[in-house]
Amino acid sequence: MPDETATMQIGELAERTEMSLRTIRHYDEVGLLTPSGRSEGGFRLYTHDDYLRLMVIRRMKPLGFSLDEMAELLRVVDALDGGAGDDGGADDGAGADDAAAAVDGGGAGDEGDGRGQATRASLAAFIDETVERRAKLERQLAMADEFLELLRARLG
């Protein structure tokens, strides 16, 4: 298990997530991923929780979720974790392990009140939407496979 108190600079985060520096900076600018700190020299510092949060974002990207939809899902998983997302502001990175677990079907911290039920309903809607988007990608992949076979048939 990684040292969850260790920090990394943006270059290491970019390398670990296979995302560009520009994309990570953009996610900071729009409030999806706020660095947990800054070095004495002003460099962004990220924790393991920040890494996990960015991985949730990265997994949403190929499914075509908009930045607003990504922000909403992050608020939902933060709320399920009893965390920072309830105020609609930028996340402080807390609860990213649980956020990933909530997206994977786990999740913690629901008092059972109306807001908790609404939050769970929002997560269920994201799950349904993700299933639909995955099915669309699966159909597109099947068409790409057919196309490849047509091209290969012309070789032989």
Side-chain angles (χ1 to χ4, degrees):
M1 180 166 217
D3 179 1
E4 295 186 19
T5 62
T7 59
M8 66 191 106
Q9 290 187 3
I10 193 170
E12 182 181 346
L13 182 66
E15 186 176 312
R16 287 181 64 190
T17 60
E18 299 179 353
M19 297 180 83
S20 71
L21 299 173
R22 183 177 182 190
T23 297
I24 295 170
R25 287 185 186 113
H26 178 68
Y27 290 154
D28 181 9
E29 291 168 9
V30 299
L32 287 179
L33 180 74
T34 303
S36 288
R38 294 267 180 176
S39 70
E40 287 182 27
F43 294 104
R44 292 170 174 90
L45 296 175
Y46 297 93
T47 63
H48 181 70
D49 285 347
D50 297 329
Y51 163 79
L52 293 173
R53 185 174 187 86
L54 186 54
M55 291 303 294
V56 170
I57 296 166
R58 191 184 92 176
R59 290 174 181 128
M60 293 181 79
K61 191 173 181 179
L63 292 167
F65 284 99
S66 69
L67 294 176
D68 288 340
E69 290 168 320
M70 291 178 188
E72 179 58 26
L73 176 64
L74 292 169
R75 280 190 290 274
V76 166
V77 294
D78 287 344
L80 286 171
D81 297 336
D86 290 337
D87 62 2
D91 177 59
D92 64 1
D97 280 317
D98 293 332
V103 170
D104 290 338
D110 181 41
E111 303 86 45
D113 62 10
R115 190 173 67 190
Q117 290 174 348
T119 301
R120 288 190 176 281
S122 293
L123 180 60
F126 270 106
I127 291 168
D128 291 343
E129 181 66 24
T130 301
V131 167
E132 288 178 28
R133 290 177 186 219
R134 185 192 178 283
K136 181 180 177 182
L137 283 175
E138 196 169 30
R139 288 189 302 273
Q140 290 173 332
L141 185 58
M143 286 186 272
D145 288 342
E146 285 177 20
F147 180 60
L148 273 171
E149 287 304 312
L150 288 172
L151 294 177
R152 287 180 177 140
R154 293 186 174 270
L155 284 176

